[in-house]
Amino acid sequence: MNLLEINHLKKSFENLDVLHDISLSVKEGEVVAIIGPSGSGKSTLLRCATMLEKMDEGELVYLGKYAVKNGENGKAVYAPQKELKEIQGYFGLVFQNFNLFPHYSVLKNIMDAPIHVQKREKEEVLQEARSLLKKMGLEDKETYYPCQLSGGQQQRVAIARALALNPSILFFDEPTSALDPELTGEILKVIRQLAEEKMTMVIVTHEMAFARDVADRVIFMDGGYIVEEGNPKEVMEHPKEERTKQFLARFSS
């Protein structure tokens, strides 16, 4: 079953077309890596998929439920607020710059949304938060504040916070780009573990070897278009499109 379907998505900022007729789907348990040069539209695609940006045209469907449909005038029409709120519970998003609440402890950062947004029992959420911290190797950090953690630790807290909402699909927007190279490995290890557990993920990344090894499918974007997509090894070792070849040549030194 497709957890996510995007059909004919178009997005522009003022007179600049950023996404041109993007269509893609993500199946349950699939890991999709989106690669491409800066300014190719990768992050805007993620922001439209997670409703942080408004689509101009196209459809956005989660688990068969329409968040966005094309109206009669061809423009995107969003579902009523109540339905959107439900659909927003289907996905989690991990940003490149962590976006933790600086005045909350690690534990409160993770527990806040499940308790206040999902209205779950505090005791149940506490147990789950502690087990997620253990999984992230941060069980001794629950009383710390974000400023007391390394970038890699903050990003692992951000992943735990996204997982605490039990999303069906997890989006990562360049999850390692704000980190030193030695901290990048610890985040990739966590994502690799989630992939082994069959977590459905869409990852915008510039870590090419990681995309090749962990993703089930790679999408190469350039200039707001999907230029090429397919099996990671095929796309990255035998790209068909000239633009993909040029992009990947910079990484094969």
Side-chain angles (χ1 to χ4, degrees), residues 5 17 69 87 96 121 124 137 170 201 210 232 244 253:
E5 275 183 54
D17 292 336
K69 283 182 174 175
I87 290 169
Q96 48 185 289
E121 290 295 323
E124 173 205 340
L170 205 48
M201 293 184 281
F210 173 75
T244 321
S253 52

Side-chain angles (χ1 to χ4, degrees), residues 82-99:
K82 188 166 180 272
E83 285 173 43
L84 285 184
K85 212 170 167 49
E86 184 193 337
I87 290 169
Q88 280 167 334
Y90 295 156
F91 60 79
L93 176 59
V94 177
F95 300 89
Q96 48 185 289
N97 52 356
F98 327 134
N99 282 22

Side-chain angles (χ1 to χ4, degrees), residues 34-36 42 174-178 184 203-211 247 251:
I34 302 177
I35 62 171
K42 306 183 301 290
E174 299 272 16
T176 59
S177 67
T184 293
I203 307 165
V204 168
T205 185
H206 57 276
E207 300 287 341
M208 294 300 135
F210 173 75
F247 174 74
F251 294 93

